[in-house]
Amino acid sequence: MGAICGKEKSASRKVKPSQAPQQQQQSTTVAAARQAPTQAAVQQPTSVSHQKEPIRTAQQPTSTSSSSSGGKSKTVNVEKELHKYIIGTKGSTIKQIKDDTNCDIEIPENGETITVRGPSDSDCQRAIDMINRIKGEHKTQSQKDKEYSNMKDDHEKEHQRTEELYKKGQEKVDRIAKERDDLHKQADKAFESGDKSLGHQLREQAKSKTQELEKASKDASRSVFLAKNAKNDKFTVDLHGLHANDAIELLVERLDEIKSSKGREFTIITGAGNHSDANGPKIKPMVHKLMKEKGYTYSEVNNGSIVCTL
């Protein structure tokens, strides 16, 4: 029995070495399993990086816009210096366009092309119509400069036309004035020679020529007045370029003609006096004085015209 037990113990000790490789294998397998998540974690960022959202490129327009989106779009050109009127104070105008049309308005930081995006073509067109209406209410500096230049050219042409009209009547005025002067000279000679009767007679003729001269001058002014106002209605008169006293007389005539039209506005173009002498405008202050004397309420439309209420 002791031998048998000894053999069994010996066999038991022989079994232990055979278990070592198995334990080592199991240990290696467990370690590998423990390391697997670490390797997976290292590889994971590579696959996620392919799913990042695309970066907004510099080619995409930067704009001031309202918040809306749609499938239709249209563009309209507006001068850069007028963009501020489309945007409005603190964006109030562009917000109003968006609210009224449900469109997105993109105003570029550089350039003149405004883009309108909205649900339909009709919505986009309504927004563009609103933009064009605002654009039409304002002028660029170059447009203002051009208008002023054209106005000066028009005034100069009108002045020259008035001068030509006066020349036609002035020929008659000059002829009568010369005849009157000649009569005065002849009268002086008659008195010097002692022929008082002839002298008085010639002076009476000279007086008659003076009356004729005044009438010819007024007729010339009336002809100019009628020519300048041929296209105006009776509630607008152009006195620009007329002789001052004649202009006031013609104005009084027109006021008497329309005095029954109570409450109507009456426009009087006086001119700014750019062609007056060193003493300044003549017709303009005389018209203002007449308005005050007659008790008319009036206001200046610009430097060369006023509007009064009859």
Side-chain angles (χ1 to χ4, degrees), residues 21-37:
Q22 184 176 1
Q23 291 174 353
Q24 184 177 2
Q25 183 177 2
Q26 290 175 351
S27 176
T28 304
T29 303
V30 171
R34 288 175 179 175
Q35 292 176 357

Side-chain angles (χ1 to χ4, degrees), residues 248 283-295 298 306:
I248 297 302
I283 295 177
K284 181 177 177 180
M286 292 174 71
V287 169
H288 284 216
K289 181 182 177 183
L290 178 67
M291 293 294 102
K292 292 175 182 177
E293 288 176 351
K294 288 188 171 290
Y298 71 95
I306 67 169

Side-chain angles (χ1 to χ4, degrees), residues 194-253:
D195 193 345
K196 294 182 179 181
S197 176
L198 179 59
H200 285 297
Q201 182 180 350
L202 291 171
R203 283 192 175 177
E204 286 299 319
Q205 292 178 13
K207 287 181 181 180
S208 177
K209 287 294 180 182
T210 297
Q211 295 173 355
E212 189 178 343
L213 179 63
E214 291 175 354
K215 183 178 183 304
S217 179
K218 291 182 184 298
D219 289 345
S221 291
R222 187 177 297 277
S223 296
V224 174
F225 175 81
L226 293 174
K228 288 173 68 68
N229 291 279
K231 295 182 180 180
N232 294 334
D233 60 28
K234 63 181 180 180
F235 295 101
T236 300
V237 293
D238 186 355
L239 307 177
H240 183 218
L242 294 173
H243 294 165
N245 291 330
D246 295 338
I248 297 302
E249 287 187 15
L250 291 164
L251 174 58
V252 170
E253 285 184 13

